[in-house]
């Protein structure tokens, strides 16, 4: 995840994060770098369920250092990653050197992919940072091929001043765009996060 955090989704305005400066330490978080084999295996297992079974074209938006892109490529998919941070993109390119993957510097809300279409758009912890989530979802849905899917991993973090996008709001925004929504609660799977978490974390797979 690497986007401008200016609105906190439904919450109060927040200062932008310098993701170029964060790139060097981004993978230190267990669910970012996926260095722990148990965390890595947990995310790989989820991606196998969320992404198409056959080798497909995957667009990873707000790809960060490319950890999920790498898992998708290892599962046989062709990956295009987009991130606002050139430093993040550089690390993703190094991580996936030799793989069927390309990385672009750009805005996740309006990725610089021209007229290309994809079998799945994968977005983790990005939508809540965007000033107009509904508009972004409509645009992403337009980047899908027929029978394509949106794979969205989101949550709400903190209790005093929570930030994020609640699952009820996200599913409401998705209903006009997709005929099928599959919701998975992720907070209870400590393997994904490298330890127990108490906040709201979930994934929605939206398809027609």
């Amino acid at each position: 995840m690497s986007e401008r955090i200016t609105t906190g989704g439904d919450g109060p305005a927040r200062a932008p994060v310098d993701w170029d400066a964060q790139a060097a330490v981004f993978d230190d978080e267990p669910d970012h770098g996926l260095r722990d084999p148990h965390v890595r295996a947990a995310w790989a297992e989820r991606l196998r369920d969320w992404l198409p079974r056959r080798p497909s074209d995957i667009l990873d938006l707000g790809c960060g250092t490319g950890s999920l892109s790498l898992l998708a490529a290892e599962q046989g998919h062709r990956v295009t990653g987009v991130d606002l941070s050139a430093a993040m993109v550089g690390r993703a390119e190094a991580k996936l050197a030799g793989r069927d993957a390309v990385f672009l510097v750009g805005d996740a809300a309006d990725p610089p992919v021209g007229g290309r279409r994809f079998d799945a758009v994968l977005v983790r912890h990005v939508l809540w940072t965007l000033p107009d989530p509904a508009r972004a979802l409509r645009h992403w849905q337009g980047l899908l091929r027929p029978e394509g899917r949106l794979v969205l991993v989101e949550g709400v973090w903190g209790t005093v001043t929570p930030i994020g996008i609640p699952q009820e709001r996200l599913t409401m925004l998705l209903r006009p765009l997709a005929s099928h929504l599959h919701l998975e609660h992720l907070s209870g799977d400590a393997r994904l996060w490298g330890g127990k978490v108490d906040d709201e974390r979930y994934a929605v797979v939206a398809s027609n």
Side-chain angles (χ1 to χ4, degrees):
M1 185 270 291
S2 176
E3 288 300 311
R4 294 186 182 90
I5 301 181
T6 55
T7 66
D10 296 328
R14 289 177 174 266
V17 174
D18 185 347
W19 290 111
D20 283 336
Q22 291 293 315
V25 297
F26 188 77
D27 279 353
D28 291 347
E29 290 293 325
D31 58 310
H32 291 172
L34 308 185
R35 291 166 174 162
D36 184 311
H38 299 290
V39 176
R40 195 175 195 279
W43 280 103
E45 178 184 322
R46 296 284 180 162
L47 283 190
R48 286 191 194 96
D49 290 338
W50 297 337
L51 298 178
R53 296 287 176 157
R54 59 179 174 78
S56 301
D57 292 311
I58 309 299
L59 179 60
D60 184 3
L61 297 177
C63 63
T65 60
S67 293
L68 293 188
S69 293
L70 179 57
L71 292 184
E74 289 176 344
Q75 293 176 13
H77 299 298
R78 301 170 295 273
V79 180
T80 299
V82 175
D83 201 278
L84 195 66
S85 164
M88 293 282 190
V89 165
R91 289 178 177 271
E93 289 173 334
K95 192 176 289 186
L96 277 85
R99 302 279 182 178
D100 193 354
V102 61
F103 293 93
L104 307 168
V105 177
D107 187 350
D110 188 15
V113 295
R116 289 192 60 193
R117 295 295 179 266
F118 299 86
D119 300 297
V121 174
L122 171 65
V123 194
R124 181 174 70 164
H125 300 169
V126 171
L127 185 67
W128 73 273
T129 72
L130 302 179
D132 191 344
R135 182 178 180 278
L137 289 169
R138 290 193 298 271
H139 186 62
W140 298 343
Q141 197 272 343
L143 297 175
L144 293 172
R145 292 176 176 143
E147 301 183 5
R149 64 186 72 176
L150 295 176
V151 180
L152 307 167
V153 182
E154 285 294 339
V156 178
W157 300 271
T159 55
V160 178
T161 55
I163 56 173
I165 181 167
Q167 65 185 50
E168 295 84 359
R169 173 160 168 72
L170 181 51
T171 54
M172 179 190 71
L173 293 173
L174 286 168
R175 284 193 186 102
L177 305 177
S179 58
H180 179 72
L181 299 179
H182 173 69
L183 173 68
E184 290 188 22
H185 298 280
L186 304 180
S187 300
D189 189 349
R191 300 175 306 155
L192 293 169
W193 318 110
K196 184 177 181 295
V197 298
D198 297 319
D199 42 29
E200 178 185 355
R201 307 186 189 195
Y202 64 92
V204 180
V205 180
S207 58
N208 289 315

